[in-house]
Amino acid sequence: MDDTSQPNPTGLRALRELFPVLEQTINGAPLAYLDNAATTQIAQPVLDAMRGFEHRDRANIHRGVHTLSQRATDAFERAREDLKRYVGAGPSHELVFTSGTTDALNMVALGLSIGGERPPVIEPGDQIIVSGIEHHANLVPWQQAARRSGATLSILQPDAQGRLDARDLARLLSPRTRVFAVTACANATGERPPFEEMLALAAEAGALTVLDAAQAVSHEVPAIDALACDFMAFSGHKMYGPMGTGVLVGRRAALERLVPLRFGGDMVQWVTQTGASFAELPARLEGGTPNVAGAVGLAAAAAFIDKVGRGEIDAHVRALRANAAAGLAAIEGVTVLSPEASASAIVSFVAQGAHPHDIGTLLDEQGVAVRTGHHCAQPLIDHLGLGPTTRASFALYNTHDEVERLLAGVARAMEVLR
Ligand code: PLP
């Protein structure tokens, strides 16, 4: 397919310059980086913002009267406000910096199920509902929460194609449902569940609601203000930002119900030798020195996405996905997972008689980077009964030409391996 025949690639293609890592050859071929659901590349404006902070303003925050400390505090708090705006948080929301989605979801699951100053929110006999299409990061913490609290863990089962149905959720909800957790996009298949409707149903039933936005936040950013969502989590490294950064954003009243899990400096109000009282949000959940340059970089990543245009990025990655899914399905022996998932940047497939590991290795020999395996979503992969998959995932800098190289590489791998 001709690159220029596709809608709007020209502006986005120019942005490739802002990702110097893409300008290299791998095994003698230009790098086609199609592993963006695992980690996107970092944008130059993000690096510039982080370097600017480190070169001019680096100091510890919140506890210094000197100029650098004040500047660092301002930069950190400005990043918080910028990110709140990015996700459409209103005055009744608060945003806590974390090291990523996993960290944020653990803060919620354990913070609701472990007792602290108050009894835990989740009690023996309560119900936690988690969808069956989740990344392990939105499943294992809930398994632990159920174990520690004596609650029951119910799985909202997907159909044979990995799709969720809100009517199934309605049947599962009960007066004892304390939590419902779901992803905005399944990382293993690219399926986008009707999370808006499901969150509303769960909230109506009196449950706290959790949205894992890790795979949506770089192109289809859910506006939390418009959702029945108590907690939303995402990671910086999946949105052109720094690794080891992330966000837990949610309703202030819901965040206040979380028991802090990290005790120490900055999250306390007063301390005696035998006890302590804790600060207000957000500090209460941010014990210790935070990754200030990371927060600055994360806010710069959000600004970068907005400058490029969320709608434009979303349309581009969807078009790449659609092209890749159609092309892969046309290769004999290849089955695309969630073939109808049109709202994501992820395409996952299995190939008869060819192991994903071997496909991935052969693609790498041609400079095409994809991910293989169960994608930290083992229960979903087991449910689909297809075994490990090969996954290609797209970002704003990818081109239709790279999709063509993926398709040619898979076709060639099938010839060699079958
Ligand atoms: N949730 C989803 C849907 C993901 O795709 C991922 C990472 O792949 C995570 C959670 C975990 O993110 P992190 O490793 O940044 O904590």
Side-chain angles (χ1 to χ4, degrees):
M1 208 161 298
D2 179 4
D3 205 0
T4 52
S5 69
Q6 299 301 323
N8 92 51
T10 321
L12 292 176
R13 217 171 30 212
L15 293 172
R16 268 180 88 92
E17 284 172 16
L18 300 177
F19 298 86
V21 71
L22 299 173
E23 299 311 315
Q24 60 178 302
T25 54
I26 300 289
N27 297 320
L31 169 63
Y33 185 79
L34 306 182
D35 191 20
N36 296 287
T39 290
T40 55
Q41 297 301 336
I42 194 164
Q44 189 63 49
V46 174
L47 290 169
D48 292 344
M50 292 171 76
R51 196 176 43 231
F53 169 79
E54 296 288 12
H55 283 184
R56 264 194 325 271
D57 306 328
R58 179 182 166 102
N60 215 321
I61 57 167
H62 290 161
R63 40 187 169 245
V65 292
H66 63 82
T67 301
L68 255 57
S69 175
Q70 287 172 13
R71 275 200 225 143
T73 304
D74 288 349
F76 188 64
E77 295 306 329
R78 205 164 42 240
R80 194 191 308 279
E81 292 311 310
D82 289 349
L83 285 161
K84 277 189 189 171
R85 264 194 302 281
Y86 181 68
V87 296
S92 60
H93 289 99
E94 191 48 271
L95 185 144
V96 175
F97 283 108
T98 70
S99 69
T101 309
T102 304
D103 188 27
L105 293 170
N106 273 273
M107 280 166 71
V108 179
L110 301 182
L112 291 174
S113 58
I114 295 176
E117 318 135 278
R118 299 181 298 265
V121 172
I122 304 174
E123 295 182 328
D126 282 345
Q127 182 193 31
I128 299 167
I129 305 179
V130 178
S131 105
I133 66 170
E134 300 303 309
H135 186 282
H136 295 162
N138 202 21
L139 172 63
V140 180
W142 297 111
Q143 293 172 346
Q144 289 296 315
R147 201 158 294 164
R148 288 167 197 224
S149 63
T152 308
L153 180 65
S154 306
I155 305 294
L156 173 63
Q157 296 293 352
D159 69 10
Q161 290 215 37
R163 290 175 299 209
L164 295 177
D165 190 325
R167 286 167 301 187
D168 295 332
L169 174 63
R171 281 191 282 274
L172 265 187
L173 287 164
S174 78
R176 296 299 301 264
T177 310
R178 286 289 157 272
V179 177
F180 169 63
V182 69
T183 187
C185 176
N187 68 299
T189 60
E191 187 68 41
R192 181 203 189 280
F195 62 83
E196 297 93 335
E197 188 186 350
M198 292 195 294
L199 293 173
L201 271 177
E204 258 168 51
L208 288 164
T209 55
V210 182
L211 184 66
D212 175 351
Q215 289 301 344
V217 75
S218 67
H219 58 101
E220 191 212 356
V221 188
I224 193 167
D225 217 13
L227 293 173
C229 180
D230 289 303
F231 305 102
M232 182 165 102
F234 59 88
S235 301
H237 69 101
K238 294 183 195 290
M239 50 181 283
Y240 315 107
M243 295 179 110
T245 64
V247 153
L248 173 62
V249 56
R251 287 190 213 282
R252 182 168 263 278
L255 287 164
E256 270 163 359
R257 299 181 76 182
L258 299 182
V259 168
L261 303 175
R262 212 167 53 223
F263 301 96
D266 229 28
M267 55 78 66
V268 284
Q269 220 161 26
W270 54 256
V271 184
T272 69
Q273 284 192 337
T274 52
S277 78
F278 305 127
E280 298 289 313
L281 285 170
R284 159 192 186 80
L285 297 174
E286 290 179 345
T289 300
N291 179 358
V292 184
V296 167
L298 183 46
F304 170 72
I305 289 171
D306 270 346
K307 197 165 173 203
V308 176
R310 302 179 194 190
E312 196 169 4
I313 299 172
D314 192 43
H316 180 60
V317 294
R318 283 185 194 214
L320 292 170
R321 199 268 182 199
N323 242 354
L328 287 164
I331 299 173
E332 205 196 320
V334 170
T335 304
V336 173
L337 280 69
S338 292
E340 287 152 31
S342 60
S344 92
I346 296 169
V347 63
S348 213
F349 63 95
V350 289
Q352 221 173 35
H355 195 278
H357 186 81
D358 297 328
I359 297 177
T361 305
L362 288 174
L363 286 172
D364 186 58
E365 282 176 9
Q366 296 156 51
V368 179
V370 296
R371 188 144 295 248
T372 61
H374 53 61
H375 316 294
C376 295
Q378 214 168 341
L380 172 58
I381 296 296
D382 289 347
H383 175 89
L384 298 173
L386 293 170
T389 82
T390 306
R391 181 184 75 182
S393 49
F394 305 104
L396 62 85
Y397 39 68
N398 289 126
T399 65
H400 289 276
D401 192 42
E402 289 174 324
V403 171
E404 289 307 311
R405 286 179 57 204
L406 167 74
L407 298 177
V410 172
R412 200 147 92 222
M414 293 294 279
E415 277 166 28
V416 174
L417 297 170
R418 287 178 89 199

